[in-house]
Amino acid sequence: MNIVVCMKSVPSSETKVKINSDGVTIEQTDVVFEINPYDEYAIEEAIRAKEAHGGKVTILTLGAATATQNIRKALAMGADEALHLICENAELADSSTIAELLYSAIKEIEYDVIFCGKKAIDCDNHQVPNRLAQLMDIPAVTAISNLELTTESGSAKRNIEGGTELISVNLPALFSAEKGLNEPRYASLPGIMAAKKKPLEERQVSLSNEKLTILSLELPPPKPKGRIVGEGPEAAGELVRILREEAKVI
Amino acid sequence: MAQGILIFAEQREGVLKPSSLEAATLGRELKKEIGGELSVAIIGANSSSLSSEFKQYGVDKVYLADSEELNQYDGERYTALLAEAVSKAQPSVLIIVASAMGKDIAPRVASSLDAGLATDCTDVEVIDGKIIITRPVYAGKALIKLRIDSEFQILSIRPNVFPKKVEGDTDPEVIELQIGEKKNPVSEVQHVKSERPELTEASIIVSGGRGMGGPENFHVTEELADVLGAAVGASRAVVDAGWRPHTEQVGQTGKTVSPNLYIACGISGAIQHLAGMSSSKVIVAINKDAEAPIFKVATYGIVGDLFEVVPKMIEEIKALNS
């Protein structure tokens, strides 16, 4: 079973965002980049599928040159090879352009399954997996929390408001991972050593035909200073009164 | 030249998602600026009766696909039907709610129609006929303003952010859509029985963090949630510890929420958590540690032991309600 995993390198969730003076990008000094958490579930699921059915896992990343270290991490977890589409300033780029670029790369790769994270935690766009599947004309099940995979088909559970859907599709297919799909492994030391020798191809790509234009990037307006109502259970009555009479939210 | 607005009305099992009316209200506002008709696409089993729910939202036309075959959401089929409604209505803007279904269908239909899509928008304006939207990025640590440049523009809106407002009364014309064949069946839909509202739709959320001490203590926050008719949330720490299910996690790697009232119990306020809830209209923090970062975003705070404060709050609210 040949598997492609789309992986993005993103500022860690602990990052304090600061805006550059250009007003459309964030400051990257001191920012720690990690594998997008949802993509980590995708990588883990891909490695498990390879362990069960044989084949190969290819990591496909579009992003800055600095993403290399996270690609090596994915290889250390157990992926076999990687293709890095190097593109600066793609972090918040239009998903339709990103999907097109991934599509042109992926159609040259043999695959049965494509795994993605359900979204990237930087742009929060929630678009690339479905756009990619649409371009490739294969079925997609997004935000899955469970997957039963055979060599012919996949049955996936996805969380919806107040329940789950169970969806079965024939391969080739794309699945995007939700938290809870699995517990991603840590890279082993031999894995880290082996990763250094695994094939990593780099190609330069550039953004074009974006359908969205970034006009500005701003920090959210500061919250007005809050008020400590009091200490301990004695303050509970006053808090409830404020919520009902002043804030009018209960 | 494309004109007008189309709303995707989301329903499950013949019940309209309330946020669809938020989308309709926004659509009616946008129509005033860009002209054309306001239409609604309704897709699903037993859905024809839903068109009446849009009567007071200024809707001119309803594009309807009502068939038993559509009783479960099916991404490919629903996309084909929504795309057909677009080709019939020829709108310049399509509005979808950024729910589980909306997040799935929006990029599908955008890709199939080669349109620009801005997801999870929290503000929308029209400048020179083009839609300018604001949406949170980095889970709300920053706000990005985008212009959608394609001629046909799609946006999904965050539930619970745009107001819904009835105005006037229309009798929309109903146009039936052609239902295509099934490709990938949804074999089963399992509903988790819950008396509580869904996290992303709730107007009040009560969340618990590490300060809850253990999974056995969450009955305290659950009880507060129940007297308020609220949803129950959790911090990443307690989800990762296995105390609460993933579906309850609020934060950058969980759900981003904007309720009217967010009550954080025993949550210190890690950056990734704050990112997911700081757009809530009113935030209440209850924490033993007066220095906890959660108090920086809180509208109201109580410094104290949540196991003393929360039961007292429950008592006070019950007294008010009785």
Side-chain angles (χ1 to χ4, degrees), chain A residues 232-233 236 239, chain B residues 286 302-314:
Chain A
L239 174 65
Chain B
I286 301 160
I302 292 184
V303 180
D305 182 350
L306 74 94
F307 295 108
E308 290 171 18
V309 176
V310 175
K312 188 79 179 117
M313 283 177 72
I314 295 169

Side-chain angles (χ1 to χ4, degrees), chain A residues 4 6 60 99-100 102-116 128-140 172-174, chain B residues 111:
Chain A
V4 177
C6 300
L60 174 61
E100 293 276 358
L102 293 175
Y103 171 59
S104 3
I106 238 169
K107 60 185 179 187
E108 295 168 15
I109 306 174
E110 262 185 56
Y111 69 89
D112 303 289
V113 180
I114 299 172
F115 283 111
C116 304
V128 168
N130 269 345
R131 280 190 180 267
L132 187 56
Q134 202 82 24
L135 290 170
M136 306 183 68
D137 198 19
I138 58 171
L174 179 148
Chain B
S111 181

Side-chain angles (χ1 to χ4, degrees), chain B residues 140-183:
Chain B
K141 292 175 194 169
L143 299 172
I144 196 167
K145 215 174 241 216
L146 295 166
R147 185 182 65 228
I148 312 179
D149 293 319
S150 53
E151 196 190 335
F152 174 48
Q153 308 160 81
I154 307 181
L155 51 111
S156 72
I157 58 167
R158 177 173 291 190
N160 235 346
V161 170
F162 295 87
K164 64 174 182 212
K165 200 172 145 223
V166 295
E167 194 179 288
D169 202 336
T170 55
D171 191 11
E173 177 191 350
V174 177
I175 296 138
E176 305 261 349
L177 298 170
Q178 286 293 324
I179 299 163
E181 51 185 86
K182 197 172 183 134
K183 277 200 215 158

Side-chain angles (χ1 to χ4, degrees), chain B residues 6-320:
Chain B
L6 178 67
I7 310 296
F8 171 63
E10 176 176 340
Q11 63 81 39
R12 284 192 195 267
E13 301 184 334
V15 178
L16 184 72
K17 190 173 197 70
S19 299
S20 297
L21 298 175
E22 297 164 11
T25 307
L26 173 65
R28 190 179 57 205
E29 290 306 308
L30 293 182
K31 177 183 145 169
K32 290 174 189 162
E33 310 215 24
I34 62 176
E37 291 180 324
L38 178 61
S39 327
V40 180
I42 303 178
I43 300 168
N46 305 315
S47 59
S48 50
S49 62
L50 299 180
S51 62
S52 65
E53 299 201 31
F54 290 92
K55 280 174 81 71
Q56 291 178 292
Y57 290 86
V59 171
D60 303 300
K61 279 187 182 137
V62 169
Y63 293 89
L64 177 70
D66 180 356
S67 156
E68 201 38 53
E69 288 177 48
L70 300 169
N71 67 339
Q72 308 295 2
Y73 171 69
D74 171 340
E76 292 182 30
R77 282 182 123 188
Y78 272 52
T79 299
L81 286 164
L82 184 54
E84 196 202 326
V86 170
S87 79
K88 287 207 156 99
Q90 292 285 318
S92 54
V93 181
L94 169 64
I95 307 177
I96 296 173
V97 175
S99 58
M101 189 190 292
K103 282 173 180 164
D104 190 75
I105 200 169
R108 288 178 192 262
V109 76
S111 181
S112 78
L113 298 170
D114 198 30
L117 163 64
T119 52
D120 211 23
C121 303
T122 53
D123 193 39
V124 180
E125 53 193 325
V126 181
I127 295 175
D128 297 334
K130 283 283 169 204
I131 303 285
I132 312 282
I133 66 91
T134 304
R135 60 184 300 273
V137 286
Y138 305 98
K141 292 175 194 169
L143 299 172
I144 196 167
K145 215 174 241 216
L146 295 166
R147 185 182 65 228
I148 312 179
D149 293 319
S150 53
E151 196 190 335
F152 174 48
Q153 308 160 81
I154 307 181
L155 51 111
S156 72
I157 58 167
R158 177 173 291 190
N160 235 346
V161 170
F162 295 87
K164 64 174 182 212
K165 200 172 145 223
V166 295
E167 194 179 288
D169 202 336
T170 55
D171 191 11
E173 177 191 350
V174 177
I175 296 138
E176 305 261 349
L177 298 170
Q178 286 293 324
I179 299 163
E181 51 185 86
K182 197 172 183 134
K183 277 200 215 158
N184 294 293
V186 181
S187 353
E188 200 183 321
V189 177
Q190 297 161 341
H191 288 277
V192 179
K193 277 262 175 269
S194 174
E195 297 301 311
R196 300 194 183 98
E198 218 283 320
L199 207 49
T200 51
E201 298 169 344
S203 54
I204 304 179
I205 295 172
V206 180
S207 269
R210 223 187 316 237
M212 296 299 296
E216 67 282 4
N217 296 330
F218 275 81
H219 63 91
V220 176
T221 40
E222 286 177 345
E223 201 185 329
L224 178 58
D226 290 343
V227 295
L228 292 168
V232 173
S235 71
R236 181 169 76 188
V238 307
V239 169
D240 285 351
W243 297 358
R244 300 301 291 181
H246 300 300
T247 47
E248 288 184 4
Q249 187 184 327
V250 173
Q252 194 166 9
T253 52
K255 294 188 167 116
T256 308
V257 296
S258 322
N260 290 332
L261 173 61
Y262 187 92
I263 304 181
C265 306
I267 292 177
S268 61
I271 292 180
Q272 61 80 26
H273 186 79
L274 300 183
M277 47 63 81
S278 54
S279 63
S280 307
K281 286 157 203 102
V282 173
I283 297 169
V284 168
I286 301 160
N287 205 298
K288 266 199 265 199
D289 176 9
E291 301 300 315
I294 190 78
F295 285 116
K296 292 211 172 73
V297 300
T299 331
Y300 306 108
I302 292 184
V303 180
D305 182 350
L306 74 94
F307 295 108
E308 290 171 18
V309 176
V310 175
K312 188 79 179 117
M313 283 177 72
I314 295 169
E315 210 177 284
E316 295 280 346
I317 294 162
K318 278 186 178 164
L320 276 179

Side-chain angles (χ1 to χ4, degrees), chain A residues 10-22:
Chain A
V10 298
S12 106
S13 62
E14 301 304 322
T15 306
K16 266 200 146 153
V17 166
K18 291 182 201 138
I19 315 284
N20 277 327
S21 55
D22 66 3

Side-chain angles (χ1 to χ4, degrees), chain A residues 155-169:
Chain A
S155 279
K157 272 190 183 158
R158 67 188 295 267
N159 296 335
I160 56 172
E161 292 85 0
T164 54
E165 289 174 336
L166 182 64
I167 300 173
S168 302
V169 292

